[in-house]
Amino acid sequence: MAFISFLGRVLFVSVFILSAYQEFNEFGVDGGPAAKSLKPKFNVFSKHVITHTGFQVPHVEMKLLVLGAIIMKGLGSLLFIFGSSLGAFILLLHQAIAAPILYDFYNYDADKKEFAQLFVKFTQSLALLGALLFFIGMKNSMPRRSPKKKAPKAKTN
């Protein structure tokens, strides 16, 4: 049973591992294509935050954001494979931050092709987020095993 659970975690996390591996291979000096495609989306997201909340989003280099995403996916995946809730929380945090920025379907009209494509990717990202929440919930609902106490031996005189 433990092996099947381990295998399931490995298969689930493979999405994050392969994504981090691809971004790492293309990273280069400037953050690679991931940084180039993230910059306009992050700028639009920053404008939304300023408009709706009034908070100014600090300037961040895109290569640092991509590097942070690679580290979060890699570390979170490694911890998650071995059953750690911390790994699930790291991946959950990554999904919660990255999904609204990367899959900005809300910037398009519903009848546009881009809206449908981004909305599908966003809902897939929500499914991963839900699976992580399920894992955390199940992990916290299981009682911890306590070592079995030996029955005290009867004294003989």
Side-chain angles (χ1 to χ4, degrees):
M1 186 69 176
F3 177 72
I4 293 175
S5 176
F6 177 76
L7 186 61
R9 287 192 306 268
V10 169
L11 289 174
F12 176 77
V13 167
S14 66
V15 172
F16 296 102
I17 293 172
L18 292 173
S19 168
Y21 179 74
Q22 179 186 5
E23 289 175 8
F24 179 75
N25 283 340
E26 298 173 344
F27 190 73
V29 177
D30 60 348
K36 290 178 183 125
S37 66
L38 180 62
K39 187 170 179 93
K41 290 179 179 276
F42 186 77
N43 290 338
V44 170
F45 176 76
S46 297
K47 289 177 186 172
H48 276 299
V49 170
I50 292 168
T51 304
H52 294 355
T53 65
F55 293 119
Q56 180 70 30
V57 178
H59 174 73
V60 181
E61 287 190 44
M62 292 303 115
K63 71 178 183 178
L64 295 178
L65 287 178
V66 172
L67 182 62
I70 292 170
I71 291 171
M72 288 177 83
K73 287 188 245 182
L75 179 64
S77 297
L78 185 66
L79 292 172
F80 184 83
I81 286 173
F82 294 108
S84 170
S85 293
L86 178 61
F89 277 116
I90 292 171
L91 294 174
L92 184 78
L93 181 64
H94 172 268
Q95 287 298 103
I97 293 170
I101 296 172
L102 294 176
Y103 311 123
D104 58 342
F105 65 92
Y106 46 84
N107 289 326
Y108 298 93
D109 291 329
D111 57 343
K112 299 284 185 184
K113 183 178 84 170
E114 292 89 3
F115 176 88
Q117 292 171 343
L118 290 170
F119 188 72
V120 166
K121 289 181 180 180
F122 181 77
T123 53
Q124 288 172 347
S125 184
L126 284 181
L128 289 174
L129 195 115
L132 289 166
L133 285 172
F134 181 77
F135 174 81
I136 292 168
M138 290 301 295
K139 188 86 171 166
N140 292 332
S141 70
M142 290 180 175
R144 305 259 189 257
R145 285 189 183 179
S146 60
K148 294 183 179 180
K149 294 182 180 179
K150 293 182 181 178
K153 293 183 178 180
K155 291 185 178 181
T156 57
N157 292 345

